[in-house]
Amino acid sequence: MIIVLKPKTKKEEIDEVVDKIKKRGLKPTTFEGVERTVIHVLGEVKEDDANSMKSVSCVEKVVRIMKPYKLASKEHHAQQTVVKAGDVSFGNSDFTIIAGPCSAESEKQVMESAKLLKEIGIRVMRASVFKPRTSPYSFQGMGIEGLKLLKKVRDETGLLVETEVMDVRDVPIAAEYVDIVRVGARNMQNFDLLKEVGKINKPVILKRGMAATIKEFLMAAEYILMNGNKNVILCERGIRTFETAYRNTLDLAAVAILKKETHLPVIVDPSHAAGRRDLVNSLSKASAAVGADGLLVEMHPNPEEASSDGDQSLYPEQLADLLKELKPICEAVGKRIVENGANKG
Ligand code: PEP
Ligand code: MN
């Protein structure tokens, strides 16, 4: 519920309204504007709560938010959220591409990837160090050693770095080493993890679970927002359908609807959606056209030797070509690709 107070409402009157809300077991947050004070109320707001507020003399209007996701909804926050990490942004006119290997594998592979990404013009490098693998016998990631390598990338190349967290205990550690943390598809409804990333002050990429509805996706974002972290970037990465020709079905309608429903930035991961590199170019361009704020793409210096997801990882030159091909599409939708250093135009 949003309570808009009349202009020139006195401090004592505001305090009275706040007390009244608290007595009803609800959680008010007060925003003092130049003209008016607005109070956002969280919790299970009942008809009776709204009516009792309407009768207070300093209250101009009461708007009930009907969506189950309150903080994530445009009803709550009409203005688009721009999430910033270092000098890059998500949610404004920038089209920000995060790229890199699925996993950090060795110092050589990480540094080589970073060098290539920088040459291509990418500003943010991805590399997972904690790996959610279907098989416990598959490569599980480099752990903290990998985080140290990402810090090295940051220090030596100036690239921003991004990685996945799977365990609540790793959240504060990862947040020390990287610029952006990611909650993967498999953990979209790991509520303890969501609460934990809600307590850090780094941007969080929240990937859509492979069988999650849009509502469930936004409710998961709500957990992060509710715990104080407003820097949430949603990532569509394909959902599981009956189709077997590719790994997942990229739900581009999700991007379009999320853009209507929420003020949070939305990016697309075409790599995990496709599961094969030959589709990544088209899916990336379609994502830009539908209004995504950026991409999360896998690229490996030698995909044949990758410890994970080699089949879907682009060769470095394919990523360079993709950037070139994306430019006119981004331009057509009023966006500009963020490239290393300055926007190369
Ligand atoms: C990833 O981005 O490395 C990943 C594992 O993706 P997802 O969580 O979407 O499967
Ligand atoms: Mn991967």
Side-chain angles (χ1 to χ4, degrees):
M1 168 170 65
I2 295 174
I3 302 170
V4 182
L5 302 186
K6 289 182 182 158
K8 302 202 178 72
T9 299
K10 294 198 191 77
K11 166 111 183 40
E12 308 83 76
E13 290 176 299
I14 301 174
D15 291 345
E16 256 174 58
V17 178
V18 166
D19 276 349
K20 211 167 168 189
I21 298 166
K22 284 187 184 156
K23 280 199 188 113
R24 288 183 164 263
L26 302 166
K27 204 177 143 213
T29 313
T30 307
F31 297 89
E32 281 179 38
V34 188
E35 277 277 310
R36 284 176 171 77
T37 295
V38 172
I39 306 173
H40 288 192
V41 183
L42 290 178
E44 287 293 324
V45 178
K46 294 182 214 74
E47 186 87 47
D48 179 45
D49 296 322
N51 287 339
S52 93
M53 292 304 148
K54 272 184 204 156
S55 61
V56 179
S57 62
C58 64
V59 170
E60 187 170 280
K61 82 176 160 181
V62 175
V63 184
R64 279 188 78 194
I65 298 180
M66 304 311 282
K67 305 275 183 196
Y69 35 88
K70 308 222 179 270
L71 296 174
S73 80
K74 274 200 175 159
E75 282 180 6
H76 170 87
H77 194 279
Q79 213 180 353
Q80 170 68 42
T81 289
V82 178
V83 174
K84 287 189 184 335
D87 57 354
V88 305
S89 304
F90 299 84
N92 57 5
S93 61
D94 290 347
F95 187 80
T96 306
I97 303 172
I98 304 170
C102 179
S103 309
E105 297 163 7
S106 65
E107 177 159 1
K108 184 170 173 291
Q109 175 253 13
V110 169
M111 298 316 290
E112 198 181 335
S113 301
K115 184 171 163 281
L116 287 162
L117 291 167
K118 197 164 177 179
E119 280 167 15
I120 293 167
I122 296 294
R123 191 68 198 94
V124 194
M125 171 165 166
R126 63 151 287 149
S128 300
V129 301
F130 305 112
K131 291 300 304 167
R133 303 308 298 278
T134 302
S135 163
Y137 305 111
S138 302
F139 177 58
Q140 300 288 306
M142 290 183 79
I144 309 273
E145 280 317 299
L147 287 180
K148 290 184 183 158
L149 289 177
L150 290 179
K151 184 167 183 303
K152 188 169 178 203
V153 165
R154 203 175 186 283
D155 294 345
E156 293 187 8
T157 67
L159 291 183
L160 298 167
V161 289
E162 185 263 12
T163 204
E164 175 166 356
V165 285
M166 296 205 300
D167 187 318
V168 287
R169 291 166 297 187
D170 293 327
V171 172
I173 306 166
E176 255 178 60
Y177 285 93
V178 299
D179 302 284
I180 304 174
V181 300
R182 175 183 359 119
V183 173
R186 287 156 194 80
N187 277 310
M188 191 206 82
Q189 283 188 318
N190 179 338
F191 299 115
D192 286 336
L193 186 62
L194 297 175
K195 286 179 196 164
E196 204 61 25
V197 294
K199 292 180 200 147
I200 60 172
N201 62 359
K202 291 274 165 88
V204 178
I205 293 180
L206 175 66
K207 297 186 91 174
R208 181 180 180 186
M210 55 192 86
T213 63
I214 306 284
K215 183 171 153 192
E216 287 163 342
F217 191 16
L218 287 170
M219 291 308 278
E222 196 77 9
Y223 268 89
I224 306 175
L225 297 168
M226 234 202 108
N227 278 277
N229 193 344
K230 305 284 179 246
N231 297 304
V232 178
I233 302 162
L234 302 171
C235 180
E236 161 61 35
R237 48 78 73 202
I239 49 175
R240 198 171 265 187
T241 66
F242 52 82
E243 187 52 73
T244 55
Y246 32 76
R247 189 167 169 185
N248 290 291
T249 300
L250 181 61
D251 184 5
L252 286 177
V255 180
I257 203 156
L258 285 168
K259 283 274 150 196
K260 285 186 191 291
E261 285 291 305
T262 178
H263 52 88
L264 298 172
V266 183
I267 63 170
V268 172
D269 173 349
S271 309
H272 291 86
R276 39 188 277 191
R277 81 172 66 80
D278 62 334
L279 301 182
V280 170
N281 181 297
S282 323
L283 296 185
S284 299
K285 290 190 284 196
S287 304
V290 85
D293 294 300
L295 296 173
L296 178 68
V297 189
E298 289 187 336
M299 181 229 70
H300 195 284
N302 304 298
E304 303 79 16
E305 287 165 28
S307 301
S308 56
D309 288 345
D311 291 349
Q312 68 198 32
S313 300
L314 294 182
Y315 288 95
E317 47 291 2
Q318 289 180 311
L319 181 61
D321 288 344
L322 174 59
L323 249 70
K324 283 191 207 112
E325 291 175 34
L326 275 168
K327 274 184 194 165
I329 297 166
C330 288
E331 220 168 276
V333 293
K335 291 228 180 234
R336 201 169 57 145
I337 297 189
V338 175
E339 291 192 69
N340 209 2
N343 274 26
K344 288 181 185 166

